[in-house]
Amino acid sequence: MFPANRYSCQAHKCIRALQKLQVEHVAPQLYTTLHRRLSSSVSAPRITTHYTIHPRDKDPRWEAIEMERFVDEADVVIVGGGPAGLSAAIRLKQLANEHEKELRVCLVEKASQIGAHTLSGACLEPSALNELIPDWKERGAPLNTPVTEDVFSILTEKHRIPVPMLPGLPMRNHGNYIVRLGNFVHWLGEQAEELGVELYPGYAASEVLFHEDGSVKGIATNDVGVAKDGSPKDVFERGMELHAKVTLFGEGCHGHLAKQLYKQFNLRENCEPQTYAIGLKELWMIDEKKWRPGRVEHSVGWPLNRNTYGGSFLYHLNEGEPLVALGFVVGLDYTNPYLSPFREFQRWKHHPFVAPTLEGGQRIAYGARALNEGGFQSIPKLTFPGGLLIGCSPGFMNVPKIKGTHTAMKSGSLAAEAIFPKVTAESVDSETAGLHVHEYADNMKNSWVWKELYAVRNIRPSFHNYFGLYGGIDNPHFITGCLKPAKDCTPIEYPKPDGKISFDLLSSVALSGTNHEGDQPPHLTLKDDSVPVARNLAIYDGPEQRFCPAGVYEYVPLETGDGMRLQINAQNCVHCKTCDIKDPSQNINWVVPEGGGGPAYNGM
């Protein structure tokens, strides 16, 4: 015992010395290797209890638990009840009805209700909707606000430089609609159900299942009734398996199953790394005298400096009451670890051009979500044996337009049209047990989506080239690797919120409706529990405290008083995925919580 204790103390001293050296620019690879070897002899406070990190087959508490899952089969399984997944489901059933074919389509969605986890600006271009449901107006689609006015600005700290919105510019919104995307997605769900699609909200797809030949077999939903310490509760229920001929993955930006598929099938072999941003949004009820229904405002510039990509939006809705949707987008390739996207958003609202709209108003909702910004060059391979990627999961967002709903919907429709003849063929001959529908990729490349994204392919990358900031564009982790050590950066002094226009983080999260079953393993898992303090705090001053828009991560003193530990408030998580993207150590892995948990956005 005594020699082990002595070695443990020596290991602690070595790690502290390594931390100091790393801050002095020791090679990161050397630091990481030595840290991993030494940390195995140092006890870090246990944070992660999830079975993906601590397997149950090695846990005696699970020995007597029945682990067999109920199995069901469908023709097509869709993961994600967003615009892409629902468009695919609707188009599949339309084709089945037209050809008088029996087709079972099952869609699983982790939110408790269809649309409850949906968040976007949103200004909707109706092209894909017109093609999918031509009579959407008669069917009562909640597109109530046609755009009547476009305003674009470059902001300085005190002033505004107007920019004319000429015809042909990507951000011109003539013919588009300001929508509350959650309401629109909920309506799409109703259209899908009318056609016979089986919707399963509250069921989180936690695992990709594979046939023996390696093709995708389907998905498994999450177990429920697991205690926070990772043990089974009396009410434990195993998830179920859904098998299909083809599985569509439409999880949205940085889906946790899509991450596995990229590795399994090497889908990103021939594309550029994805780039990301975080979008934060609020809904306000404002003074009716300041309300301009149909007005769309965008800005770039202040409060972000010239080295940080981002901008704002402010949309005036026309839904019977003076509502505005406003938000702020920050590229996650920023370099200063002291930057807080949430606090930049709060600061922006005090600009002399913005604040007058909000003065005297009431904030009624808040949310946040990561978004793909890589565009055309970052689109991965879309097909693999047994499955397809659709929507914002592979990244079909048109960055200069700040729109991705229409392209996501079209990708779902094109996927359905490629799948349908395959899954309804009388004899399905396939080299794999799961169908490989290559035709989907061809459909996409021959569509207006491909032409649209190709035309604007250089807009986002040009930000890096023009400023010459990031030489490591070909590094798959350049988003995370671009953070500079805290010692090389100046802390940012943010003004205190006034409680009228700007607000603190926790009161904001309260407006998101976020709720999780408290007694469950944190779904923000760490590959190594010792890394946050040993590396993130030591080198970057704990940036997860600032890049998270929900107050999930905080560093608190150890009970012994001789150090710090990371505390994960998983119940606050709004499922934005920012931590999984921006963690400088790539140590955080976002997995699904129990189905139904998360935000409850009211038409965000």
Side-chain angles (χ1 to χ4, degrees):
M1 289 177 65
F2 295 112
N5 184 54
R6 184 174 73 249
Y7 295 143
S8 179
C9 291
Q10 290 172 348
H12 273 293
K13 291 177 181 177
C14 287
I15 284 182
R16 283 197 293 270
L18 276 172
Q19 291 168 1
K20 185 174 186 300
L21 286 171
Q22 170 69 357
V23 173
E24 309 261 346
H25 294 291
V26 165
Q29 297 89 343
L30 173 63
Y31 169 85
T32 301
T33 301
L34 291 173
H35 171 259
R36 284 176 179 165
R37 289 177 180 172
L38 287 167
S39 63
S40 61
S41 64
V42 180
S43 59
R46 185 170 180 180
I47 302 171
T48 304
T49 57
H50 200 273
Y51 73 91
T52 55
I53 304 297
H54 301 285
R56 292 167 178 167
D57 59 2
K58 299 178 181 178
D59 188 337
R61 298 174 299 179
W62 288 88
E63 286 178 358
I65 303 300
E66 175 58 56
M67 298 300 286
E68 186 175 353
R69 288 189 283 220
F70 173 76
V71 177
D72 199 4
E73 293 189 3
D75 294 298
V76 180
V77 166
I78 300 172
V79 179
L86 288 166
S87 295
I90 289 168
R91 188 69 186 123
L92 280 166
K93 294 300 284 187
Q94 287 175 341
L95 290 167
N97 292 342
E98 289 170 15
H99 292 84
E100 299 181 344
K101 296 277 189 178
E102 289 292 326
L103 188 72
R104 188 178 182 204
V105 180
C106 295
L107 182 150
V108 295
E109 163 58 40
K110 63 184 173 66
S112 59
Q113 297 180 11
I114 299 295
H117 286 182
T118 300
L119 183 144
S120 184
C123 197
L124 175 69
E125 183 175 312
S127 49
L129 177 61
N130 290 335
E131 295 173 2
L132 181 66
I133 308 175
D135 60 343
W136 57 264
K137 289 184 181 179
E138 292 76 12
R139 289 178 171 271
L143 276 65
N144 305 313
T145 313
V147 175
T148 59
E149 183 182 7
D150 257 315
V151 177
F152 190 85
S153 309
I154 299 172
L155 300 183
T156 64
E157 185 173 358
K158 299 293 184 184
H159 302 285
R160 165 187 177 253
I161 303 169
V163 177
M165 294 299 294
L166 301 174
L169 290 176
M171 289 182 67
R172 193 166 187 264
N173 284 289
H174 179 76
N176 297 335
Y177 292 82
I178 303 169
V179 300
R180 298 171 68 174
L181 195 62
N183 291 347
F184 175 67
V185 165
H186 184 78
W187 176 83
L188 282 178
E190 293 174 342
Q191 309 312 301
E193 277 193 309
E194 282 185 19
L195 289 165
V197 177
E198 297 177 34
L199 301 181
Y200 296 103
Y203 287 84
S206 62
E207 183 182 344
V208 182
L209 304 175
F210 298 93
H211 290 286
E212 288 184 4
D213 70 350
S215 62
V216 171
K217 187 178 188 178
I219 57 95
T221 63
N222 211 5
D223 298 341
V224 296
V226 183
K228 196 168 187 176
D229 64 1
S231 64
K233 300 179 187 176
D234 293 339
V235 295
F236 171 76
E237 288 186 18
R238 192 79 161 113
M240 68 175 292
E241 295 188 8
L242 272 172
H243 299 173
K245 299 170 185 174
V246 183
T247 304
L248 277 63
F249 295 87
E251 304 168 278
C253 174
H254 209 63
H256 79 291
L257 297 184
K259 286 197 307 177
Q260 299 171 34
L261 295 166
Y262 290 146
K263 293 178 182 177
Q264 182 77 14
F265 297 106
N266 203 16
L267 300 178
R268 302 204 67 87
E269 182 180 18
N270 297 313
C271 68
E272 292 296 313
Q274 188 58 264
T275 61
Y276 301 92
I278 178 174
L280 306 105
K281 180 181 176 181
E282 294 175 351
L283 279 177
W284 281 65
M285 192 86 69
I286 63 168
D287 184 339
E288 193 164 354
K289 295 176 183 176
K290 304 172 182 179
W291 183 37
R292 303 288 183 270
R295 180 181 169 103
V296 165
E297 302 177 23
H298 291 104
S299 78
V300 295
W302 188 88
L304 300 178
N305 62 30
R306 69 181 183 89
N307 299 327
T308 306
Y309 191 89
S312 75
F313 64 87
L314 198 161
Y315 302 153
H316 293 247
L317 291 149
N318 188 14
E319 300 194 356
E321 50 190 358
L323 280 175
V324 294
L326 58 147
F328 203 76
V329 176
V330 179
L332 286 176
D333 44 6
Y334 64 82
T335 60
N336 187 339
Y338 291 108
L339 188 145
S340 164
F342 172 81
R343 298 182 78 177
E344 295 289 346
F345 176 30
Q346 300 305 309
R347 181 160 63 167
W348 165 79
K349 290 188 290 181
H350 283 280
H351 190 275
F353 182 65
V354 179
T357 300
L358 305 178
E359 287 169 353
Q362 179 186 4
R363 188 178 65 149
I364 60 175
Y366 165 82
R369 186 67 169 96
L371 52 147
N372 294 319
E373 287 198 334
F376 184 81
Q377 290 93 329
S378 299
I379 297 172
K381 186 177 179 182
L382 300 173
T383 68
F384 42 91
L388 312 175
L389 298 174
I390 59 174
C392 290
S393 181
F396 293 129
M397 179 176 168
N398 184 321
V399 177
K401 276 189 177 181
I402 325 178
K403 291 176 183 61
T405 302
H406 66 301
T407 50
M409 291 179 67
K410 184 62 175 176
S411 74
S413 296
L414 292 172
E417 290 166 2
I419 289 168
F420 180 75
K422 298 279 189 177
V423 297
T424 56
E426 300 235 347
S427 64
V428 176
D429 295 321
S430 173
E431 63 216 20
T432 62
L435 294 174
H436 194 167
V437 187
H438 299 276
E439 292 82 355
Y440 166 53
D442 296 331
N443 287 1
M444 286 296 299
K445 289 174 183 176
N446 293 323
S447 73
W448 53 258
V449 174
W450 216 253
K451 295 182 179 69
E452 181 177 315
L453 295 182
Y454 181 80
V456 297
R457 66 194 181 282
N458 293 323
I459 302 257
R460 180 64 169 95
S462 69
F463 178 80
H464 300 289
N465 296 335
Y466 179 79
F467 289 100
L469 292 175
Y470 313 107
I473 289 285
D474 57 345
N475 179 351
H477 298 307
F478 85 94
I479 287 266
T480 59
C482 67
L483 272 185
K484 295 179 180 177
K487 74 177 187 64
D488 296 334
C489 298
T490 303
I492 301 173
E493 295 295 328
Y494 290 104
K496 290 183 178 180
D498 65 0
K500 298 176 181 177
I501 289 178
S502 52
F503 301 89
D504 65 274
L505 190 56
L506 293 183
S507 69
S508 300
V509 176
L511 289 176
S512 69
T514 299
N515 184 55
H516 294 88
E517 163 60 47
D519 188 16
Q520 66 173 302
H523 63 282
L524 296 315
T525 69
L526 304 178
K527 298 171 188 175
D528 183 339
D529 286 352
S530 69
V531 164
V533 170
R535 189 166 192 270
N536 288 13
L537 184 62
I539 301 170
Y540 303 103
D541 200 15
E544 55 269 72
Q545 301 175 101
R546 292 175 287 276
F547 62 58
C548 174
V552 169
Y553 302 95
E554 59 179 326
Y555 285 93
V556 298
L558 285 168
E559 288 72 12
T560 56
D562 60 350
M564 303 291 283
R565 65 178 178 86
L566 178 67
Q567 179 169 296
I568 297 180
N569 306 306
Q571 69 276 11
N572 285 8
C573 178
V574 295
H575 298 198
C576 73
K577 309 292 181 68
T578 301
C579 59
D580 197 313
I581 297 166
K582 190 60 178 174
D583 174 15
S585 303
Q586 284 296 278
N587 188 49
I588 297 172
N589 184 41
W590 194 101
V591 299
V592 289
E594 288 189 3
Y601 293 139
N602 179 22
M604 292 284 276

